[in-house]
Amino acid sequence: MSYRRTLKLICGFAGGSAVLVFAAAAADSRGYFGEQRGEVASRWSGFTTLQAAQPAWTPASHTPAPSGYSWDFNWDKRDPSTLSNGKKKENATEDPSTEQDNGKPKATRNILLIRHSQYNLSGNSDKERILTPLGREQAEFTGKRLAALGLKYDFLIHSSMARATETAQIISKHLSGVELLSCDLLREGAPIEPVPPVTHWKPDAVYHEDGARIEAAFRRYIHRADPKQKEDSYEIIVCHANVIRYFVCRALQFPPEGWLRMGLNNGSITWLTIRPSGRVALRTLGDTGFMPPDKLTRT
């Protein structure tokens, strides 16, 4: 029986990588692979050194450790079990369980956060920072994408800044019958000092001013459905990258100071789902797969 056939047989029975390495080393040392003994010794001594440098694998060293933080189901202060505590009953004969069921949310809220399209960065004021020709194209793509999803949108609300307003107006042309609203709370700003800190960007306003406003916007728009809401809703919010990134961190109960670690393309779609139980899921983050590659920007 030839040596190669013997090697194949041994590996087949053992089924282990250690046997394969040992047998291959033995074959090389005898010159079966056409190498000189000195060359083999040099190559395999390097391999041995490399193997020795690798840390030993154990389940404990490769298992992620829990952070210790649990999910706060009352993150939006709308958990029905907490709202019913201490509530005075109007009808003493009413079944407590029935009362609690009537106060439970039953619908799911879907919030689609849209970042405004590319705009004129050289504008001296907000009114001059309007969309570029490419930015208007991006808004058209986003509007077509939202329409193609075939969802029944409840409303389209946007930041009152010029670039978000113009983006929302272009999108609304593709969503017939959807109410268009404006909100100052959604204006761009610096929500919280980022960690790790950055030196290339300094906000126009101090963090505690913008942060209070953006947090107020989060509490107004990001929460579970009201118990009176019977059907699932789909709501569109057109605003800014900093606002969206902060919303995502807060909704997922991630450290909010990590908002600047994410990047969003212009005209992108970020989709949050909020269940009646208070659970939150991020379905998409900054989706622009519906745009051609040459139309993508992140200004």
Side-chain angles (χ1 to χ4, degrees), residues 141 145 265-269 284-293 296:
F141 280 116
R145 173 58 177 168
N265 288 339
N266 295 111
S268 62
I269 300 174
T284 62
L285 175 66
D287 177 28
T288 48
F290 49 87
M291 292 189 194
L296 300 178

Side-chain angles (χ1 to χ4, degrees), residues 25-44:
D28 269 356
S29 67
R30 298 186 182 185
Y32 281 97
F33 294 158
E35 294 176 322
Q36 297 299 320
R37 190 178 186 85
E39 296 175 0
V40 172
S42 175
R43 184 163 63 83
W44 280 98

Side-chain angles (χ1 to χ4, degrees), residues 154-158 168 171-172 175 178-181 236-238:
D154 293 80
F155 61 79
L156 194 166
I157 189 164
H158 60 85
I171 290 175
S172 68
L175 306 174
V178 178
E179 184 178 9
L180 192 63
L181 304 169
I236 302 171
I237 299 177
V238 179

Side-chain angles (χ1 to χ4, degrees), residues 91-272:
N91 187 352
T93 61
E94 186 176 359
D95 185 354
S97 61
T98 303
E99 180 185 8
Q100 190 173 16
D101 287 342
N102 292 336
K104 284 185 177 180
K106 300 175 180 61
T108 295
R109 294 185 67 216
N110 294 274
I111 303 171
L112 289 85
L113 302 162
I114 313 299
R115 189 192 175 194
H116 61 77
S117 302
Q118 186 191 64
Y119 68 102
N120 174 28
L121 291 170
S122 61
N124 295 321
S125 65
D126 178 58
K127 291 183 179 179
E128 296 177 355
R129 294 168 187 163
I130 58 176
L131 300 187
T132 64
L134 174 57
R136 289 190 285 274
E137 283 188 74
Q138 292 170 339
E140 294 284 356
F141 280 116
T142 304
K144 291 176 182 178
R145 173 58 177 168
L146 291 171
L149 291 175
L151 303 173
K152 183 182 178 182
Y153 299 107
D154 293 80
F155 61 79
L156 194 166
I157 189 164
H158 60 85
S159 157
S160 56
M161 297 186 81
R163 55 188 181 271
T165 300
E166 189 176 359
T167 300
Q169 290 172 343
I170 294 174
I171 290 175
S172 68
K173 295 189 301 182
H174 300 274
L175 306 174
S176 178
V178 178
E179 184 178 9
L180 192 63
L181 304 169
S182 178
C183 178
D184 288 335
L185 293 178
L186 294 168
R187 295 173 71 88
E188 181 65 302
I192 186 174
E193 189 169 0
V195 177
V198 293
T199 57
H200 65 276
W201 174 78
K202 293 183 180 180
D204 295 331
V206 292
Y207 289 104
H208 70 267
E209 291 179 358
D210 284 350
R213 172 179 53 78
I214 297 172
E215 173 64 20
F218 174 81
R219 297 186 185 191
R220 174 178 290 189
Y221 297 112
I222 313 299
H223 55 78
R224 77 192 75 190
D226 187 273
K228 297 179 181 178
Q229 182 176 322
K230 304 302 181 184
E231 298 180 355
D232 294 351
S233 59
Y234 296 89
E235 305 154 27
I236 302 171
I237 299 177
V238 179
C239 53
H240 309 270
N242 295 355
V243 177
I244 294 172
R245 292 182 286 189
Y246 178 78
F247 281 8
V248 169
C249 287
R250 285 280 283 108
L252 297 179
Q253 300 186 24
F254 293 162
E257 61 271 19
W259 62 273
L260 200 52
R261 303 171 198 172
M262 295 177 278
L264 299 174
N265 288 339
N266 295 111
S268 62
I269 300 174
T270 296
W271 187 336
L272 285 171

